[in-house]
Amino acid sequence: MTVNVLSPGLLTTIQDMGRPGYYHLGIPIGGAMDRMALRCANLLVGNDENAAGLEAVFTGPELEFNGEATVAVTGAELPPKLDGEPMACWASFKVRAGQVLSFDYLRTGARAYIAISGGIDTPKSLGSRSTYAIGALGGIDGRALAAGDILPLGEATGGAEGREVPSELRRSPGNPAALRVLPGLYWHRITEASGERFFEETWKVAGEADRMGYRFQGGTPLEFIDREPPFGAGSDPSNITDACYPYGSIQVPGGTEPIVLHRDAVSGGGYFMIGTIIAADMDLIGQLQPHTQTRFIKTDMHGALAARKDRSRTLNAIREMLSE
Amino acid sequence: MTSRYSFGGDEHIFVEVSEDMSLEAFFKSLSITNAVRDAAIKGVTEICPANASFQIKFDPDIIHPDDLMTELKRIEETAEHAAAVLETRIIEIPVYYQDPWTNETLMRFRERHQDPNSTDIEYAAEINGFANVDEFIAAHSGSPWFVSMVGFVAGLPFLYQMVDRPRQIQVPKYLRPRTDTPKLTVGYGGCFSCIYSVRGAGGYQMFGITPMPIYDPEQEVTYLKDFMVFFKPGDIVKWKPITREEYDQAVADVETGRFMPRMKEVVFSLEEFNRDIDGTNAKLLEALNDR
């Protein structure tokens, strides 16, 4: 079975759960920015949770089906249409050969996930089908979808139409968005007052917000504690001897605009970091549009692990419900 | 050197071996990360050595963050006493300094640079006290360099100059990063040289370009058929200045599969190096040029 890409949308990429194990060579884990949403889409159509689907940013693609399939769209509220007929988000529906899947305009969120029964079956690169465009890896020739592409699909193993993930089991970032942070890394480089202010102020997602990282604006520049620059770091107070960057780490070049690194992170560099977004909140970032008001919420390891448990309880509830 | 441990969220432990860059800090980071790899700790998913630090990614559902922290500190104690000897390779990397492509790019981003009236290499030569660019190139390409980290983007090496500190070149990064850098640009920031493996954003000063691909996801380049990334931490590099004609020839040779980087197996001892830097480097270059 195959699907024809009639139009790709603004930026639609093939993503799965990523390629761990190569970060030490600068190749990031990649994969769906909102992992929970892709897992749900896959579960809805009867796929393995790690199967490859499509991640569509802001606008959807137009896809023509060459055979029968079950489809689900999750994540951002980007309502699907089948031959022009509106379909529900977060629910599975049947598509017949010859039908065209398109999308209405974006209501909320930033990234929609489209799962098709059987999963997208492009060749794996370093163990994953995820598109890492900077390194031209995965996807189709290492790039986003283009009109005329033909998506191969795997063998469908199940899945039924009319299944749904109820709204109480979906997470959204809130308004203002709340992202929990574990302070650390080079937190000691800024003054106490500056650190407190970072958490008190409301920030705003900047235009530079993509799979590599999200930039935030609108808060007060950070105040550094004086120091003698370490050899090799560079003279700016925000410079460090180039080091590895954790996923979710918050670097603040020049102390002005925080950048949160995401799934296609640069693996290292010379800017200090004040902490890290907890793993449970990484998915939420993938749904932030530019200009979204955002608060950073201070937490500790206990809070991070509790949030992790919460998230896995939700996922288990969804798994149980959809396996019935 | 007392290492500083910090959690990077609930899935990373970040360890700063030293704030300053030094070969000692790099060797310590490399030996601890090797020991962590050998320990095969359940739940550890990524082991990333960096210049003077390292990072471990883990799954806290498998190993509690505090337990992993304790385990890493224990490993550091034993790894610290390992002899700093490395079996590695020295590779000659051809560089076309002051090439037209990086020059065109740096001219586009002059307003983000410390000195809009000079080129990156002129600026670097001047602030490091060289009389002219030729002298600067002679210094940059004269001594060998250690690959002290691979990262930023796919396969990009950071290189540390193997000379004593007073002779080390230091250049600040751009005031604001560029949004474009040609593929295979030889760059410089802080005390590190680098090779941009792919085209993209960057903040390092641009000195030249190499015709030798170092990252090939298609794995078509002859010497990248086994693995798509060329460099690994611990590699030793010698820059070789080349002309436009040599550059064009090398590009054509890569295209037809005839280009093979010159490289030799060598053993590097940090102790020996510290005793006699120039003598050790001379021996390394001798090994490289031995036919």
Side-chain angles (χ1 to χ4, degrees):
Chain A
M1 220 293 258
T2 56
V3 167
N4 301 337
V5 178
L6 302 181
S7 82
L10 183 66
L11 180 64
T12 302
T13 54
I14 296 170
Q15 302 292 346
D16 54 20
M17 292 299 145
R19 53 175 67 81
Y22 302 95
Y23 204 41
H24 65 292
L25 299 172
I27 299 172
I29 189 162
M33 283 187 74
D34 184 348
R35 291 223 189 318
M36 183 70 102
L38 178 59
R39 283 182 194 280
C40 287
N42 275 325
L43 286 167
L44 283 166
V45 302
N47 285 350
D48 186 286
E49 284 173 36
N50 305 314
L54 298 176
E55 178 181 273
V57 187
F58 302 147
T59 68
E62 215 177 337
L63 305 172
E64 182 186 35
F65 284 69
N66 295 318
E68 195 169 279
T70 309
V71 170
V73 179
T74 62
E77 200 185 341
L78 184 72
K81 293 186 294 186
L82 196 55
D83 282 347
E85 284 295 310
M87 308 299 289
C89 293
W90 294 89
S92 59
F93 54 89
K94 200 54 104 197
V95 179
R96 291 190 314 277
Q99 286 194 302
V100 172
L101 179 69
S102 63
F103 292 84
D104 209 335
Y105 67 89
L106 180 71
R107 307 300 206 278
T108 59
R111 285 174 179 79
Y113 292 85
I114 306 158
I116 306 170
S117 51
I120 294 170
D121 194 24
T122 43
K124 286 186 180 180
S125 192
L126 301 179
S128 163
R129 299 184 173 90
S130 289
T131 313
Y132 169 49
I134 299 162
L137 267 189
I140 294 175
D141 300 333
R143 57 163 172 79
L145 293 197
D149 283 345
I150 296 168
L151 305 177
L153 293 173
E155 193 78 27
T157 52
E161 57 193 300
R163 299 209 283 186
E164 192 196 355
V165 174
S167 56
E168 62 270 21
L169 290 178
R170 308 174 201 160
R171 262 182 93 197
S172 74
N175 190 17
L179 302 175
R180 285 166 289 185
V181 176
L182 189 67
L185 303 171
Y186 290 84
W187 176 259
H188 57 277
R189 289 284 302 113
I190 57 172
T191 64
E192 206 181 317
S194 182
E196 277 170 21
R197 200 161 49 222
F198 174 78
F199 287 115
E200 281 160 10
E201 291 183 329
T202 299
W203 297 79
K204 207 172 69 179
V205 177
E208 283 174 60
D210 56 26
R211 294 188 45 84
M212 183 192 281
Y214 261 62
R215 187 184 281 261
F216 294 84
Q217 294 173 325
T220 310
L222 302 178
E223 278 167 20
F224 290 91
I225 291 169
D226 284 341
R227 67 153 186 201
E228 196 58 42
F231 178 79
S235 49
D236 192 273
S238 69
N239 285 152
I240 57 169
T241 296
D242 291 59
C244 200
Y245 290 150
Y247 296 106
S249 61
I250 307 166
Q251 57 178 272
V252 196
T256 56
E257 296 180 347
I259 299 169
V260 177
L261 291 181
H262 218 271
R263 311 291 184 198
D264 285 358
V266 288
S267 72
Y271 291 114
F272 93 121
M273 304 154 273
I274 56 172
T276 310
I277 304 289
I278 64 170
D281 285 356
M282 286 291 280
D283 283 351
L284 301 179
I285 297 172
Q287 296 302 350
L288 300 181
Q289 296 177 1
H291 309 300
T292 305
Q293 308 259 311
T294 304
R295 291 288 303 272
F296 295 102
I297 313 292
K298 189 176 180 174
T299 187
D300 54 16
M301 185 59 84
H302 183 74
L305 295 179
R308 212 180 162 84
K309 280 220 171 65
D310 270 355
R311 188 188 55 165
S312 79
R313 257 195 301 272
T314 305
L315 181 59
N316 282 333
I318 295 168
R319 281 174 182 152
E320 250 171 60
M321 195 170 61
L322 295 180
S323 69
E324 279 164 12
Chain B
M1 266 184 292
T2 316
S3 299
R4 189 173 64 81
Y5 285 72
S6 177
F7 287 115
D10 44 327
E11 294 188 347
H12 309 83
I13 291 179
F14 178 88
V15 184
E16 184 186 63
V17 172
S18 159
E19 271 195 296
D20 291 281
M21 181 55 195
S22 67
L23 275 185
E24 281 73 15
F26 163 66
F27 266 83
K28 190 172 165 187
S29 150
L30 195 64
S31 70
I32 300 172
T33 48
N34 283 339
V36 173
R37 192 171 298 109
D38 292 344
I41 303 163
K42 252 189 119 181
V44 166
T45 57
E46 308 256 10
I47 299 167
C48 305
N51 297 307
S53 57
F54 64 92
Q55 180 180 299
I56 307 295
K57 184 165 191 281
F58 64 99
D59 180 348
D61 300 334
I62 296 176
I63 183 165
H64 192 280
D66 293 335
D67 294 341
L68 181 57
M69 183 79 96
T70 307
E71 183 63 13
L72 290 180
K73 287 179 178 170
R74 193 190 61 74
I75 290 173
E76 180 188 353
E77 272 174 35
T78 46
E80 212 169 355
H81 305 295
V85 173
L86 195 64
E87 284 179 29
T88 181
R89 55 182 185 167
I90 180 166
I91 310 131
E92 183 178 85
I93 307 284
V95 186
Y96 178 18
Y97 288 94
Q98 299 183 283
D99 67 278
W101 306 283
T102 58
N103 192 66
E104 184 275 330
T105 308
L106 66 90
M107 293 313 288
R108 271 192 284 137
F109 293 99
R110 274 302 87 183
E111 87 290 353
R112 302 187 184 204
H113 194 270
Q114 288 82 357
D115 183 359
N117 297 316
S118 71
T119 63
D120 291 8
I121 201 166
E122 285 166 358
Y123 168 72
E126 197 199 322
I127 64 166
N128 281 281
F130 291 95
N132 54 51
V133 169
D134 287 346
E135 272 187 26
F136 179 82
I137 292 172
H140 186 257
S141 59
S143 64
W145 296 68
F146 242 111
V147 174
S148 50
M149 174 171 169
V150 177
F152 179 58
V153 291
L156 180 152
F158 288 80
L159 301 114
Y160 184 69
Q161 195 178 12
M162 293 166 65
V163 292
D164 47 307
R165 201 170 271 191
R167 279 190 287 167
Q168 276 190 314
I169 298 164
Q170 282 202 83
V171 193
K173 294 152 199 163
Y174 268 49
L175 296 175
R176 283 185 300 130
R178 296 176 306 274
T179 53
D180 192 18
T181 311
K183 185 176 165 177
L184 296 176
T185 291
V186 174
Y188 214 100
C191 67
F192 298 103
S193 218
C194 81
I195 305 170
Y196 285 89
S197 50
V198 294
R199 184 178 178 180
Y204 275 31
Q205 310 275 341
M206 298 182 291
F207 294 166
I209 200 158
T210 175
M212 182 185 147
I214 58 169
Y215 170 69
D216 178 21
E218 304 286 330
Q219 292 181 259
E220 281 164 0
V221 172
T222 322
Y223 53 89
L224 295 172
K225 284 207 193 305
D226 289 341
F227 194 64
M228 59 182 75
V229 170
F230 182 74
F231 284 109
K232 53 182 182 297
D235 281 341
I236 297 172
V237 162
K238 166 72 171 63
W239 309 112
K240 184 197 178 197
I242 56 169
T243 62
R244 174 67 192 257
E245 288 69 31
E246 290 168 307
Y247 174 84
D248 289 342
Q249 185 59 52
V251 168
D253 288 347
V254 167
E255 201 64 33
T256 54
R258 278 185 311 221
F259 183 92
M260 272 303 282
R262 171 185 287 206
M263 51 186 168
K264 291 282 161 57
E265 308 284 316
V266 288
V267 175
F268 177 85
S269 152
L270 183 59
E271 200 194 326
E272 192 184 311
F273 176 82
N274 284 335
R275 238 188 351 252
D276 178 9
I277 291 176
D278 292 337
T280 308
N281 286 347
K283 265 194 235 162
L284 286 169
L285 299 184
E286 220 171 88
L288 176 67
N289 292 317
D290 186 30
R291 278 168 197 267

